[in-house]
Structure formats: structure tokens, C-alpha cells
Amino acid sequence: EPEVTQTPSHQVTQMGQEVILRCVPISNHLYFYWYRQILGQKVEFLVSFYNNEISEKSEIFDDQFSVERPDGSNFTLKIRSTKLEDSAMYFCASSTQGVGTDTQYFGPGTRLTVL
Amino acid sequence: SQKIEQNSEALNIQEGKTATLTCNYTNYSPAYLQWYRQDPGRGPVFLLLIRENEKEKRKERLKVTFDTTLKQSLFHITASQPADSATYLCALAASWGKLQFGAGTQVVVTP
């Protein structure tokens, strides 16, 4: 069964450094998402992406964050200058349609630790 | 503001019994509601979607109800097994494709 994959599984970085989290969505999916989950808290929406554009973003997704689909398979989340509070699990998800009835398939996550 | 509330306390249940989880929401008028399972350190896995015109939806040992008057969904795991131990998340589509999740309820099934 097709799966969303994410790399790396764990990323440790120093505060102020840039990080890029990578995702390979399911191949025939057109809609892509990033969510994050701070330890012990709920899964929070960051951004949705379709047709090489951001469809929607949350208040969390400020100028320090950016997303890109650099080629036909990868979908990346970049954090320009990491803060301690960026430490969280980051989940990529994809779906065939961007509607609320569509199933979103989540990757296993990248644990980001900012020191 | 829109809120989704789930029981924050873990639900401890004996194997073979039925687990019932609650999801309440405010300031939404959702046409559908979704339930996901999340294991520790893993991403959410979709389980069931129920539409506003569906009172009940079943999938194997899982059953979901949706009461738009009460603004509540109930999630049942019948004949529970230790492998059902996980956190179960309720989610609403806050807008086009964007999911808003509840905090989840942890279920622990003991043999």
C-alpha cells in the first residue's frame, strides 16, 4: 500500500539554524499538508499546498516557514531560523482531493529538537 | 472560536468490553467529522468519516455516531483488544481540506 514517507526521522539543530524537513507524498495525490504536534499537545495544521501554491496557512506558519515542491515527488518544509518553541513532531500528509471528506494520509513524522 | 473537545483522561478498559469515546464541538457546523488513530511517535491514521446526514457508521468493530443537534460524535470500539490501545483523535474540516483535531483520548485495553 502506498505510504507517505518523511526524512529525517529525527533532526537535532541549534537555535537560529535553518532546517529542511522532507516528505514524499503518495504519488497520485495532488494536495499536500504540514501539521505539527508539540509533545503532549494536539495535532495542529500548519499549511496546505496545491498546484504549487499555498492554499491556506495557519497563524503558526509565519515568515520563518516556507514550503516547496522542488520536483515531482518531494514536498519540503523549511524553517529559516529555528526557535526553541519549534521543537515538535512535524507530520506531512497528502490527499487526492482538498475537500473535508477526503482522507488525508499522514507520514510517520520528523521529530525536530531545537537546542 | 471553534473548539473540539475530547475526554482528556485515559480510558482504561478490559479486553472484550466496549470503549466509548466522546467528541464535542462548538462554533462549527460541520457537514462531516472524521476519526483517526494515533500510536505513540507516529502519524494519525484515518479510521472513519461520518456525514451529517448519517446517524451511524460502522467499520468492523468500530462504530461512530454523529448528532448535529447535540454537536457531538461518539466513537465505539466493540470487543476491544489490547491492539486497540492508542490515542483516538476526532477531526473536523475547518475549511477546504484543513483538518482541526481534538486533543485525543488515550485508550488502554488490558488483557
Side-chain angles (χ1 to χ4, degrees):
Chain A
E1 186 175 325
E3 289 181 338
V4 175
T5 59
Q6 290 185 243
T7 53
S9 57
H10 191 188
Q11 173 93 47
V12 181
T13 189
Q14 295 291 324
M15 191 169 55
Q17 295 297 303
E18 174 184 287
V19 294
I20 298 176
L21 310 183
R22 292 184 166 78
C23 167
V24 179
I26 294 173
S27 62
N28 64 336
H29 286 186
L30 301 176
Y31 294 82
F32 314 113
Y33 313 86
W34 284 100
Y35 293 81
R36 80 170 186 191
Q37 186 174 32
I38 295 170
L39 187 63
Q41 298 187 23
K42 61 177 70 175
V43 176
E44 301 175 288
F45 170 82
L46 291 178
V47 65
S48 58
F49 191 85
Y50 169 72
N51 199 25
N52 281 320
E53 287 185 352
I54 290 175
S55 306
E56 187 168 358
K57 59 185 181 179
S58 72
E59 293 170 354
I60 302 166
F61 194 90
D62 61 22
D63 292 345
Q64 292 301 311
F65 291 87
S66 62
V67 289
E68 193 179 28
R69 189 152 161 84
D71 53 42
S73 59
N74 289 285
F75 179 50
T76 62
L77 174 70
K78 182 194 289 187
I79 309 175
R80 260 180 273 284
S81 178
T82 49
K83 307 186 190 83
L84 295 176
E85 54 264 37
D86 294 328
S87 294
M89 279 288 279
Y90 288 81
F91 296 109
C92 172
S94 68
S95 64
T96 53
Q97 304 170 49
V99 296
T101 52
D102 195 22
T103 299
Q104 292 187 21
Y105 293 84
F106 284 76
T110 292
R111 180 173 299 283
L112 177 65
T113 302
V114 182
L115 302 176
Chain B
S1 63
Q2 296 172 322
K3 283 188 183 176
I4 302 171
E5 292 180 348
Q6 296 185 251
N7 291 350
S8 56
E9 286 187 23
L11 181 63
N12 290 285
I13 192 162
Q14 199 171 12
E15 183 175 7
K17 302 291 186 185
T18 296
T20 298
L21 285 63
T22 305
C23 174
N24 295 297
Y25 57 90
T26 53
N27 296 323
Y28 275 101
S29 296
Y32 27 77
L33 183 147
Q34 302 187 30
W35 283 90
Y36 284 75
R37 169 183 172 140
Q38 188 177 27
D39 291 284
R42 307 293 294 175
V45 175
F46 172 78
L47 295 175
L48 280 166
L49 180 146
I50 185 164
R51 291 178 167 77
E52 62 176 346
N53 61 349
E54 297 173 318
K55 294 297 181 190
E56 182 179 295
K57 195 84 170 276
R58 289 177 186 258
K59 179 182 173 184
E60 297 172 353
R61 295 183 294 106
L62 306 179
K63 185 178 87 170
V64 173
T65 63
F66 191 17
D67 189 325
T68 54
T69 303
L70 291 179
K71 294 186 183 294
Q72 182 180 81
S73 175
L74 298 179
F75 178 84
H76 306 269
I77 308 171
T78 58
S80 58
Q81 302 169 0
D84 296 326
S85 298
T87 297
Y88 292 85
L89 312 177
C90 167
L92 292 172
S95 61
W96 196 263
K98 166 188 169 183
L99 288 177
Q100 185 159 349
F101 286 90
T105 299
Q106 184 185 11
V107 172
V108 179
V109 182
T110 51

